[in-house]
Every structure is written in structure tokens, then in C-alpha cells.
């Protein structure tokens, strides 16, 4: 039983550590980022309503696409004494951008202000090219 658990744990961990695929110059690449305090996880969920197998990035053809990401973040609610209480939120954000360009790199940033999540898509020049248009929080 221990061997089975170790094998399952090792295989799950190896999937997280697998290298990213090569960047295709005919496609646009979208990295994920959570720069604000409390940002825990940002994962690609769906591309044009199709579930993805690797949530660490998007690689898309030129043109228009709808990206859906999972964004987990902590909300610091204060507390008494030296301890700060926090709770976690799990949200799904949808971003649509019509002008993805082949060979370009983009960054999709998940941010939070208290209980409110948001996402912004930046081009390589660090210009905002799209923002979330739909937010659904489960927790």
C-alpha cells in the first residue's frame, strides 16, 4: 500500500515538473502571473470553451480567442493579536482578445483587491490589451 501511495505521489509530482513545450513561432504564447500579495494559483482552464490538459500556459493561433483561467487567492481579513486571519477564494475569470499575433508573448495577470478578483492581459510592451469580462467565484 505504501508503494502504491509513493508511486501515485511521484507520478503526480512529475507531471507538475514536466518541461514546457517548445514555443511555436506560428502561435502566440500566454504566460500566467499572480503579482499581488495573496495570489496563490493561476491556471489555464479553457481555450475557446475547450478544456486544456496543461494549465501552465496558453498557446494560441493568431486572431480572436476566449481564455478562461482559474484564480485562487487569499483574502486577509485581519484578526486579533499577532495572528492575521485569512480565507481563500476560488474564481474563474474569462478574458477575450481579438488580436493575438503569431510569435508574440503575452502575460495574463490575476490580481485581487480584497474579495474582488480581476485579470489583465499584457502584450510584450507591457500594455494592457484586454481585461476580464466575466468573473465567477465559487468560494
Amino acid at each position: 500500500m505504501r508503494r502504491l501511495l509513493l508511486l501515485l505521489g511521484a507520478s503526480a509530482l512529475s507531471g507538475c515538473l514536466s518541461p514546457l513545450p517548445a514555443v511555436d513561432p506560428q502561435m502566440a504564447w500566454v504566460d500566467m502571473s499572480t503579482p499581488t500579495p495573496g495570489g496563490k494559483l493561476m491556471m489555464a482552464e479553457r481555450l475557446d470553451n475547450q478544456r486544456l490538459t496543461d494549465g501552465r500556459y496558453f498557446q494560441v493561433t493568431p486572431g480572436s480567442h476566449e481564455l478562461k483561467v482559474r484564480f485562487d487567492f487569499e483574502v486577509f481579513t485581519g484578526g486579533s493579536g499577532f495572528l492575521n486571519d485569512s480565507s481563500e477564494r476560488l474564481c474563474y475569470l474569462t478574458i477575450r482578445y481579438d488580436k493575438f499575433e503569431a510569435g508574440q508573448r503575452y502575460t495574463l495577470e490575476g490580481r485581487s483587491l480584497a474579495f474582488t478578483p480581476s485579470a489583465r492581459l499584457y502584450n510584450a510592451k507591457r500594455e494592457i490589451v484586454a481585461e476580464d469580462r466575466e468573473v465567477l467565484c465559487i468560494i
Side-chain angles (χ1 to χ4, degrees):
M1 185 64 168
R2 279 188 183 173
R3 279 190 185 163
L4 178 61
L5 289 175
L6 283 172
L7 181 61
L8 287 173
S11 65
L13 184 59
S14 67
C16 295
L17 299 176
S18 64
L20 291 173
V23 175
D24 183 343
Q26 303 303 312
M27 308 271 273
W29 184 277
V30 182
D31 290 307
M32 307 292 158
S33 176
T34 56
T36 57
K40 297 184 88 174
L41 174 73
M42 183 121 161
M43 296 287 287
E45 282 285 321
R46 293 182 175 275
L47 172 61
D48 299 327
N49 213 24
Q50 299 293 315
R51 192 173 241 334
L52 299 174
T53 56
D54 191 340
R56 297 176 291 171
Y57 65 96
F58 288 100
Q59 191 163 224
V60 301
T61 57
S64 180
H65 294 285
E66 183 176 270
L67 315 175
K68 183 173 275 191
V69 295
R70 173 184 172 162
F71 180 40
D72 294 9
F73 61 98
E74 278 187 306
V75 177
F76 300 99
T77 56
S80 59
F82 295 105
L83 301 176
N84 284 330
D85 295 332
S86 67
S87 61
E88 288 190 26
R89 298 227 40 199
L90 183 156
C91 299
Y92 293 92
L93 296 94
T94 303
I95 297 91
R96 180 165 196 81
Y97 183 54
D98 295 328
K99 298 177 183 176
F100 282 105
E101 297 179 31
Q104 296 299 307
R105 287 193 85 122
Y106 299 85
T107 302
L108 184 57
E109 287 188 357
R111 298 174 174 268
S112 62
L113 179 60
F115 285 88
T116 307
S118 66
R120 290 179 174 169
L121 181 66
Y122 293 89
N123 64 15
K125 297 177 187 172
R126 201 67 189 139
E127 300 167 329
I128 299 171
V129 294
E131 295 187 74
D132 61 85
R133 64 181 188 94
E134 184 178 307
V135 175
L136 170 66
C137 292
I138 297 173
I139 300 174

